[in-house]
Amino acid sequence: MRKRRAAFGPAALAVLVVALLSALVTYGSFSAAAASSPGAALAAPAAASAGCGKTPTLASGTHTIQSSGQTRSYILRLPTGYDSGHPYRLVFGFHWLGGTMNDVDSGGTDGYNWSYYGLRKLADAAGNGTIFVAPQGTNNGWANPGGQDVTFVDDMLNQFESGLCIDTGQIFSAGFSYGAAMTYELACSRPTVFRAVAVYSGANLSGCDGGTQPVAYIGLHGIRDNVLPIADGRALRDTFVRNNQCTPQNPPEPAYGSLTHIVTAYSGCKPGYPVVWAAFDGAGHDPGPIDGSTGDGWHTWTSGVVWNFFTQFQSGPPPTSSPSTTPSTTPSTTPSTTPSTTPSTTPSSNPPPPGACSATYQTTNSWPGGFQGQVTVTAGSAAISNWTVRWTLANGQTISQVWSGTLTTSGSSVSVANAAYNGALQPSASTSFGFLADGTPSTPTLTCTSP
């Protein structure tokens, strides 16, 4: 996966230091770029963009656009069977210092499996409901001088919303290293545009214009990071712990040498604005760590955690009441074996009675001796405040990790309850959780209850 690692040689490190110093000087106050963003609403309500119902003016591939007097580039990836009558989720993928838009779009040496940090493959498996875009940074970075990179994003969004069918309440950003810094800046400066962000091993290098409004936030960082120390990532996280009104805490992090990771969902956050912190040991400055090793790969746990974080959000404004359950803190034991490249997508379901919920299952990955599963929970004809999914494990199966839910086992009986941030669902709305298991994959019979 070397193509998607940050290339931090002496020259690149010098650029990074200059960028950091520039950020400290340039972004000490609210800039003109941020002043143009709306500030009254807490989140943009879901709405079909102007391009819905029209012949698309953009296609998959490389495009150029004029922004701030410059010619800027991006790669657009439309889902197979794009439908101009369907509002799509939109995910930005920002590259690292020295990386390129093609590295993000292509997945580098791991190809399709790591395209957009592994999110594109998961989106395809979930039904092709996502448009992806990989912008190209100036000088392969995101220094954002005078807010130019934020303006570049604004200009792309204007083009996408007029030429494509976008769900304007489902816009997300993910980025690694310098791309994480740019993603953090967008969370600060465009809080009513971006529904949620994923910051992989970031620091404040691109600025934080504004930075006072809530945005759903997941941060991922390695305790061995010797390029951007984990303290930098904690500082970015704490901005949104404050903005999202979460209960302050020092979330647990894995011990050095444990070669594992811990995912913590903060409690007390403003409804609809969760904060999640994922700390890992093993790989250093890397978006794709693999538990049990110091290496990386596309079969990392990070893609599933970020995908589940993004897809918990439904069209419409955030909920107005807090979920009734406590947050989960889940240590992991992700296997380091390379999984196969052909996931199974055979679903099982049970129809819900009015006001209850249903659950469907698919195997999203498998490898010798283990597999990864995903369960989608859908509310019935009435809103629910919490849910629990139950099933019986097949012979030889054991669950080693669950994310976006709380696991309870008794022999072969399994139950997973909602996490703190995904229990409240409006009628017919859905969320999902994932898990890793030992054994041979099978299609279980699921039951879903609420409460």
Side-chain angles (χ1 to χ4, degrees):
M1 296 184 70
R2 279 177 288 201
K3 279 191 179 180
R4 62 113 176 105
R5 282 177 174 269
F8 284 100
L13 281 171
V15 172
L16 190 63
V17 171
V18 170
L20 179 57
L21 292 174
S22 298
L24 293 174
V25 173
T26 306
Y27 302 104
S29 60
F30 193 83
S31 75
S36 64
S37 65
L42 290 177
S49 67
C52 292
K54 301 178 181 177
T55 301
T57 60
L58 295 165
S60 294
T62 302
H63 299 266
T64 59
I65 187 173
Q66 294 300 307
S67 181
S68 300
Q70 302 174 335
T71 300
R72 303 293 299 265
S73 302
Y74 64 85
I75 297 176
L76 184 67
R77 183 72 64 171
L78 300 183
T80 302
Y82 170 83
D83 176 4
S84 63
H86 171 77
Y88 287 89
R89 178 190 299 113
L90 176 65
V91 175
F92 283 81
F94 288 91
H95 64 75
W96 49 96
L97 178 63
T100 67
M101 61 184 181
N102 187 65
D103 290 331
V104 172
D105 179 77
S106 71
T109 55
D110 280 340
Y112 171 70
N113 290 321
W114 190 242
S115 179
Y116 294 90
Y117 302 106
L119 301 180
R120 180 178 157 216
K121 179 178 180 179
L122 295 177
D124 288 348
N128 296 313
T130 305
I131 295 172
F132 289 93
V133 59
Q136 177 61 46
T138 303
N139 298 321
N140 296 78
W142 301 101
N144 192 31
Q148 287 184 4
D149 289 329
V150 174
T151 300
F152 176 33
V153 172
D154 290 342
D155 292 338
M156 284 187 288
L157 281 170
N158 288 336
Q159 191 176 69
F160 301 153
E161 291 179 9
S162 62
L164 297 170
C165 191
I166 304 294
D167 183 342
T168 61
Q170 294 278 289
I171 299 175
F172 303 87
S173 180
F176 165 60
S177 194
Y178 220 152
M182 185 62 200
T183 293
Y184 174 70
E185 157 65 351
L186 291 172
C188 291
S189 63
R190 296 296 183 265
T192 63
V193 174
F194 286 86
R195 185 65 188 88
V197 299
V199 175
Y200 299 81
S201 306
N204 189 346
L205 306 175
S206 305
C208 180
D209 298 311
T212 60
Q213 293 189 54
V215 174
Y217 185 95
I218 180 170
L220 309 95
H221 217 114
I223 66 170
R224 302 191 190 205
D225 196 326
N226 62 354
V227 176
L228 297 175
I230 194 170
D232 292 337
R234 295 183 192 122
L236 305 191
R237 172 202 70 197
D238 290 346
T239 297
F240 289 95
V241 170
R242 292 189 299 270
N243 293 355
N244 298 10
Q245 301 175 20
C246 306
T247 303
Q249 64 167 292
N250 291 316
E253 295 173 354
Y256 189 95
S258 64
L259 302 180
T260 186
H261 72 276
I262 299 176
V263 179
T264 301
Y266 275 73
S267 63
C269 301
K270 186 180 179 67
Y273 296 101
V275 172
V276 171
W277 178 244
F280 58 87
D281 176 57
H285 190 61
D286 202 299
I290 300 174
D291 284 349
S293 76
T294 57
D296 59 24
W298 68 265
H299 44 288
T300 178
W301 51 270
T302 62
S303 52
V305 168
V306 171
W307 179 248
N308 278 280
F309 186 78
F310 281 177
T311 57
Q312 71 180 293
F313 302 107
Q314 305 302 313
S315 296
T320 57
S321 61
S322 300
S324 60
T325 58
T326 56
S328 62
T329 301
T330 308
S332 73
T333 54
T334 310
S336 59
T337 309
T338 303
S340 68
T341 59
T342 308
S344 163
T345 57
T346 304
S348 69
S349 64
N350 62 291
C357 55
S358 64
T360 59
Y361 168 82
Q362 69 179 65
T363 299
T364 57
N365 242 328
S366 64
W367 53 91
F371 62 97
Q372 178 176 325
Q374 178 172 300
V375 175
T376 299
V377 177
T378 303
S381 60
I384 59 175
S385 60
N386 52 55
W387 48 261
T388 300
V389 176
R390 296 178 175 86
W391 73 96
T392 300
L393 295 172
N395 288 338
Q397 291 181 343
T398 57
I399 293 182
S400 58
Q401 179 194 351
V402 168
W403 55 87
S404 300
T406 303
L407 173 68
T408 302
T409 60
S410 177
S412 61
S413 298
V414 175
S415 68
V416 177
N418 58 272
Y421 51 83
N422 63 356
L425 297 175
Q426 296 301 309
S428 301
S430 297
T431 188
S432 61
F433 66 87
F435 65 88
L436 294 171
D438 298 323
T440 302
S442 60
T443 303
T445 299
L446 308 177
T447 61
C448 184
T449 57
S450 176

